[in-house]
Amino acid sequence: MSKAPGSSAGEPYLAVEIAPGVHWVGALDPHLRTFDIILKTANGTSYNAYVVRGETGVAVIDTVKESFADDFFRRLESVARYDEITTIVLNHLEPDHSGALPELLKRAPQARVYLSSRAQMMLKALLKPSGEKPPEYIPVTTDDTVDLGGRTLRFLHTPYLHWPDTQCTYLEEDAILFTGDVFGCHFCDGRLFNDRVGDFRFSFEYYYAHIMRPFREYVLDAMALIEPLALQLIAPAHGPILRHQPRDYVLRYRELASPRLFNEARSEKTLVVFYISAYGNTRRMAEALAAGAERIDGVRVSLYDLEGGESGIFTDLIEEADGIAIGSPTINGDAVRPIWDLLSSLTTVNIKGKLGAAFGSYGWSGEAVRLIEDRLRGLKLRLPVDGLRVKLVPAADELEHCRSLGESLARHLTGQVEHREIDMASLA
Ligand code: FEO
């Protein structure tokens, strides 16, 4: 027997009806404080899974983390028998949603599994340790459907949100969208629904920034599929179920994924020069580089001293920039920590294909420039010009080299110079 719509999820582990014949059968994890090693979860998370009952079939949409499988199966058993399950939908195969899948497949071996084409290899890898034969599975894409008898599941191909395999599933007759991680957040509240839980705006934005932001082009593609749908309710795989004004969350994703800065029209290219300087030498190099870049029409140059700010505040700027130049002195054979903090913050930003360059003053060894270049290449930036090192105080001719570097970088940004492939042999 299920609880009435709007009931809290708690003991005695009953399913919660979110619409007639549609139940939440997930699990609450209030004590989790770190997710995937790097994400903070100030009040835990939930692993949301759902059951949809039709006249001729029962579908289970996603499962939960393996250590919460007992909660999932108890809630599932409160609304369906295993031999009734005709359909298992896998919107996303990350272990927090597929952990209970091997056991579910044992309990409901007759069920047909629907997943995206990119999830097929992941499913095989997931089942490998059990030695089980993979179940019958059907790869699906946008507008493929499954008939449950009076109820239709329609799939939306929404890859890279945030894994290659991700998809959404739409229950047509009820206008319910099951979205996997999309529109989710790490926020644990047994009241389940967005109009009943505490204020989760921070968690929603934090989750987007750390999980979805690097894939914003894919977010925009997904919103184009979702926006035309009638939406009564959005059922994500983490956090509150969005039944109050669900479209607001779609609008917010659209907003978050859209360019925000002044150069939206892309009429000019932007180059951001970051530096940090112990004695003013790397600063003089940065200023000369910026001045050189400004010689080129169509490039807007910004100069930032990392000593004056936390690296996290620059991510918007970097996401919108076309080029990034980074200057650091070498101290103890390395670039200095604010530079590494900045570079490490870029893992949440899609910077692939932007142009990069490095420069810096040094005392006797000067490794920082090469190390920064290696990191920029690792982040898939293109480095069209060799970095520039200057021993201690830059002389007039060395400052002119800095100006030339800036000018050359700006020419590459504006397409006045053909991009060239880096010859790795020349870097040895
Ligand atoms: Fe919630 Fe990408 O797993």
Side-chain angles (χ1 to χ4, degrees), residues 131-258:
E132 297 287 326
K133 181 169 162 282
E136 181 184 359
Y137 63 83
I138 297 107
V140 289
T141 189
T142 299
D143 289 340
D144 287 343
T145 57
V146 175
D147 180 11
L148 298 174
R151 283 191 141 153
T152 313
L153 297 175
R154 179 151 65 87
F155 300 102
L156 281 71
H157 182 56
T158 54
Y160 293 102
L161 300 180
H162 59 124
W163 274 20
D165 65 315
T166 51
Q167 65 173 5
C168 296
T169 303
Y170 185 58
L171 178 55
E172 288 188 340
E173 292 77 6
D174 301 77
I176 297 175
L177 186 64
F178 302 94
T179 54
D181 283 342
V182 182
F183 306 123
C185 63
H186 292 312
F187 186 86
C188 185
D189 191 322
R191 293 169 289 184
L192 284 189
F193 296 94
N194 66 330
D195 53 321
R196 301 193 68 200
V197 300
D199 190 335
F200 64 101
R201 283 175 294 180
F202 166 78
S203 301
F204 186 85
E205 304 272 324
Y206 180 84
Y207 189 89
Y208 177 89
H210 288 81
I211 300 285
M212 299 297 165
R213 180 176 182 152
F215 307 100
R216 71 179 194 173
E217 290 84 0
Y218 291 99
V219 171
L220 292 172
D221 289 346
M223 293 311 107
L225 286 176
I226 291 169
E227 282 161 348
L229 301 175
L231 282 178
Q232 280 299 319
L233 188 149
I234 292 174
H238 294 291
I241 296 165
L242 309 172
R243 69 179 177 188
H244 178 64
Q245 299 183 335
R247 195 165 295 282
D248 286 358
Y249 299 87
V250 181
L251 291 172
R252 186 63 183 143
Y253 258 49
R254 162 72 68 183
E255 210 170 61
L256 289 168
S258 299

Side-chain angles (χ1 to χ4, degrees), residues 35 92 94 96-97 162 181 207 238:
F35 186 89
H92 180 28
E94 195 166 1
D96 52 324
H97 308 297
H162 59 124
D181 283 342
Y207 189 89
H238 294 291

Side-chain angles (χ1 to χ4, degrees), residues 281 284-285 288-289 390 394-404:
N281 298 322
R284 280 192 279 278
M285 293 180 73
L289 188 154
V390 167
D397 62 327
E398 289 170 320
L399 288 175
E400 186 51 34
H401 286 153
C402 294
R403 282 188 281 273
S404 297

Side-chain angles (χ1 to χ4, degrees), residues 289 356-359 369-370 373 377 383-389 401 405-406 408-409 412 420 422-423 426-427:
L289 188 154
F359 60 95
V369 170
R370 179 62 58 88
E373 288 184 315
R377 286 192 192 94
L383 278 61
V385 290
D386 290 335
L388 187 58
R389 301 186 312 160
H401 286 153
L405 189 152
S408 176
L409 195 56
H412 280 85
R420 71 175 171 84
I422 300 293
D423 177 1
S426 73
L427 300 173

Side-chain angles (χ1 to χ4, degrees), residues 39-57:
L39 272 189
K40 298 300 173 196
T41 53
N43 74 342
T45 193
S46 60
Y47 312 105
N48 298 333
Y50 302 93
V51 171
V52 179
R53 179 174 288 279
E55 290 163 9
T56 56

Side-chain angles (χ1 to χ4, degrees), residues 38-115:
I38 50 168
L39 272 189
K40 298 300 173 196
T41 53
N43 74 342
T45 193
S46 60
Y47 312 105
N48 298 333
Y50 302 93
V51 171
V52 179
R53 179 174 288 279
E55 290 163 9
T56 56
V58 171
V60 176
I61 300 179
D62 293 322
T63 74
V64 301
K65 193 174 179 178
E66 187 177 12
S67 49
F68 290 84
D70 287 349
D71 295 5
F72 165 71
F73 285 119
R74 287 164 73 179
R75 290 194 167 104
L76 174 55
E77 287 165 13
S78 74
V79 287
R81 295 190 321 270
Y82 292 112
D83 63 4
E84 291 182 301
I85 298 170
T86 55
T87 304
I88 297 172
V89 173
L90 304 175
N91 280 334
H92 180 28
L93 276 172
E94 195 166 1
D96 52 324
H97 308 297
S98 61
L101 178 66
E103 180 60 26
L104 178 62
L105 291 170
K106 282 185 199 158
R107 297 187 188 195
Q110 75 287 347
R112 304 217 304 174
V113 175
Y114 294 83
L115 73 186

